[in-house]
């Protein structure tokens, strides 16, 4: 089709049970014509990652962490990829010069404690090249943890060799987030890959994307999460599909994710329940979305409901004026937390018609008392 790249590892192709759209694995890796039907509200970079890149390839959006695009290559191109603008468009890996620029930026920003090595898929780099990246990041003392985001354990588990694990161990603490979307992806091979990583001391998390016709059923996500914890992978995030070009046919209504979360809570251990998040357009970042558990609130009681529909009044402490939380606050740039903590009284949108009108008329002064 010429627009988006295609690659499927032989191993991943072997998981296809039926070569048609009823097969979840088929849907996730074989292109469909529907990828070309883009409603106008989709864009190639809905998360505006390109606007938060102080160094090309380094996304610094959240205060204490940054994401590094270390390669644009993947071993299998997911049809639902959120970085379709990057993945496989040109096959490039991070250069020495870029890596130096990244390290320089991290040194200037000691508030960054966590670097996520992403892509593309960083485990498509040779072990030597990946080691260069990790070794460079480890030169920065303020970088405490390094995370790797990779789908390789799912699509190319044979890549998780003892050699690779031995290299990773040298750069601990290393965390890995992988990307299982469907229980069919948990096979003896992918389980073995996760075991090797876990045995190398790498804590494993999983980030799934909710995909229509693939995994948008509560029982499928339940099965997936149960199987993940059994192979020592902690379900971390369940993502609402991004508003990215080429994935409209996979999008589900937001309510579907909430329904699934409603179904999971109570039925599954908290250890097996991911956080459902919407990575919002306009660079708003990830926002967790939950069913509503707080039914009502008064100064003395909070009414909660559990998954069974039981209503419980939770009494507040008797001397209700609790001590203020002791955490630093930047009132020059208040966040919602500052409002809750009483450090600040309001946050105004920069451009609201009513507020701009107010500003235009503010010379009038207060109304006379007799008005
Ligand atoms: C998701 C993401 C992170 C990591 O967020 P966590 O909630 O800590 O997992 C960091 N930077 C960017 C740009 C991201 O999209
Ligand atoms: S592995 Fe990740 S970056 Fe690569 S195509 Fe899949 S979702 Fe996109």
């Amino acid at each position: 089709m010429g627009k988006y790249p295609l690659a499927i590892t032989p191993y991943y192709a072997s998981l296809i049970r039926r070569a048609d759209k009823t097969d979840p694995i088929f849907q996730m890796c074989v292109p469909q014509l529907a990828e070309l039907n883009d409603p106008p509200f989709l864009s190639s970079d809905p998360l505006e990652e390109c606007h938060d890149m102080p160094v090309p390839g380094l996304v610094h959006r959240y205060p204490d962490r940054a994401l590094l695009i270390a390669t644009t290559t993947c071993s299998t191109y997911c049809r639902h990829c959120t970085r379709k603008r990057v993945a496989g468009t040109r096959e490039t890996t991070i250069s020495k010069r870029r890596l130096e620029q990244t390290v320089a930026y991290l040194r200037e920003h000691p508030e960054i404690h966590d670097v996520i090595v992403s892509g593309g898929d960083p485990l498509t780099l040779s072990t030597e090249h990946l080691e260069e990246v990790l070794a460079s990041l480890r030169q920065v003392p303020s970088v405490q943890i390094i995370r790797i985001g990779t789908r390789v354990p799912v699509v190319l588990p044979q890549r998780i060799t003892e050699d690779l694990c031995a290299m990773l161990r040298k750069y601990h603490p290393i965390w890995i987030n992988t990307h299982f979307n469907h229980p069919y992806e948990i096979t003896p091979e992918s389980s073995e890959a996760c075991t090797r990583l876990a045995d190398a001391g790498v804590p494993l998390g999983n980030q799934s994307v909710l995909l229509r016709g693939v995994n948008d059923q509560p029982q499928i996500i339940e099965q997936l999460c149960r199987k993940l914890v059994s192979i020592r992978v902690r379900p971390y995030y369940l993502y609402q599909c991004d508003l990215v070009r080429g994935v409209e046919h996979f999008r589900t209504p937001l309510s579907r994710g909430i329904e699934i979360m409603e179904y999971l809570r109570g039925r599954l251990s908290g250890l097996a329940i991911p956080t459902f998040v919407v990575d919002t357009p306009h660079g708003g970042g990830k926002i967790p979305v939950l069913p509503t558990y707080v039914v009502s609130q008064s100064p003395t009681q909070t009414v909660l409901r559990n998954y069974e529909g039981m209503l419980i009044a939770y009494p507040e402490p008797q001397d209700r004026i609790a001590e203020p939380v002791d955490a630093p606050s930047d009132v020059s740039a208040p966040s919602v937390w500052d409002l809750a903590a009483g450090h600040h009284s309001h946050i105004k949108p920069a451009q609201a018609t009513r507020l701009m009108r107010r500003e235009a008329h503010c010379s009038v002064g207060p109304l006379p008392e007799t008005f």
Side-chain angles (χ1 to χ4, degrees):
M1 119 171 92
K3 183 155 182 185
Y4 301 114
L6 163 71
I8 311 172
T9 60
Y11 161 79
Y12 197 65
S14 79
L15 304 185
I16 296 175
R17 301 179 184 193
R18 285 176 62 130
D20 64 37
K21 285 202 302 187
T22 61
D23 187 282
I25 308 290
F26 181 90
Q27 283 215 66
M28 284 188 277
C29 64
V30 178
Q32 295 172 36
L33 223 47
E35 283 179 48
L36 301 177
N37 297 339
D38 291 330
F41 50 83
L42 300 182
S43 66
S44 61
D45 182 17
L47 309 180
E48 298 190 357
E49 291 186 322
C50 292
H51 298 266
D52 278 332
M53 280 194 197
V55 173
L58 185 74
V59 188
H60 186 192
R61 163 154 305 155
Y62 303 102
D64 72 329
R65 50 212 192 274
L67 182 148
L68 176 66
I69 297 180
T71 175
T72 58
T73 304
C74 302
S75 57
T76 294
Y77 289 105
C78 309
R79 306 328 301 172
H80 55 273
C81 180
T82 194
R83 287 207 194 101
K84 278 195 165 188
R85 71 177 196 286
V86 172
T89 46
R90 37 198 156 66
E91 309 234 314
T92 52
T93 56
I94 191 165
S95 65
K96 276 207 158 52
R97 197 174 132 262
R98 246 324 111 65
L99 199 52
E100 280 164 17
Q101 288 175 320
T102 301
V103 166
Y105 182 83
L106 294 171
R107 282 190 191 282
E108 286 160 26
H109 292 269
E111 71 275 16
I112 298 176
H113 297 311
D114 174 354
V115 176
I116 297 151
V117 182
S118 181
D121 196 320
L123 292 191
T124 60
L125 295 173
S126 67
T127 303
E128 295 70 34
H129 195 175
L130 181 62
E131 177 157 16
E132 265 175 53
V133 174
L134 300 180
S136 304
L137 297 175
R138 275 283 168 250
Q139 288 168 14
V140 186
S142 44
V143 172
Q144 292 167 344
I145 65 168
I146 298 176
R147 284 196 261 177
I148 298 173
T150 175
R151 191 147 151 87
V152 155
V154 185
V155 293
L156 186 59
Q158 299 78 4
R159 169 74 181 95
I160 312 298
T161 57
E162 287 304 336
D163 253 20
L164 175 71
C165 293
M167 185 279 281
L168 293 175
R169 305 181 84 113
K170 293 195 263 170
Y171 299 93
H172 270 319
I174 300 272
W175 292 59
I176 287 186
N177 268 331
T178 186
H179 176 176
F180 285 95
N181 284 329
H182 195 281
Y184 288 0
E185 294 174 330
I186 301 178
T187 62
E189 290 86 353
S190 59
S191 308
E192 173 66 26
C194 292
T195 300
R196 259 182 240 133
L197 289 168
D199 286 348
V202 178
L204 298 169
N206 186 67
Q207 316 199 93
S208 301
V209 188
L210 206 49
L211 302 170
R212 186 166 97 202
V214 173
N215 63 4
D216 60 340
Q217 295 299 327
Q219 293 95 330
I220 294 179
I221 299 290
E222 178 193 0
Q223 231 193 338
L224 172 67
C225 292
R226 285 193 192 282
K227 286 194 166 183
L228 285 171
V229 287
S230 77
I231 61 166
R232 286 191 280 170
V233 178
R234 167 93 219 257
Y236 179 50
Y237 282 146
L238 173 64
Y239 284 96
Q240 171 73 5
C241 207
D242 289 336
L243 294 172
V244 71
R245 286 205 186 109
V247 305
E248 181 65 10
H249 57 300
F250 282 126
R251 286 209 308 134
T252 50
L254 245 159
S255 61
R256 180 50 63 91
I258 295 176
E259 284 179 275
I260 291 175
M261 296 313 290
E262 182 71 74
Y263 181 86
L264 297 181
R265 179 60 61 187
R267 198 175 296 265
L268 256 76
S269 150
L271 205 56
I273 301 183
T275 305
F276 177 49
V277 291
V278 185
D279 210 338
T280 47
H282 313 293
K286 298 178 182 75
I287 300 180
V289 180
L290 271 179
T292 308
Y293 292 107
V294 175
V295 173
S296 191
Q297 229 174 352
S298 78
T300 58
Q301 313 285 333
T302 296
V303 181
L304 301 170
R305 67 134 176 118
N306 79 354
Y307 70 100
E308 301 164 306
M310 184 175 168
L311 295 178
I312 304 106
Y314 177 87
E316 300 296 348
Q318 289 214 317
D319 53 343
R320 291 188 313 278
I321 318 281
E323 304 93 65
V325 278
D326 185 18
S329 152
D330 179 7
V331 286
S332 63
S335 66
V336 177
W337 181 81
D338 292 288
L339 301 194
H343 295 308
H344 205 78
S345 66
H346 64 286
I347 295 172
K348 259 202 268 193
Q351 290 164 318
T353 314
R354 184 176 64 87
L355 297 177
M356 290 195 291
R357 194 168 59 225
R358 270 190 176 193
E359 223 153 87
H361 296 288
C362 67
S363 57
V364 174
L367 289 176
E369 262 170 50
T370 54
F371 183 77

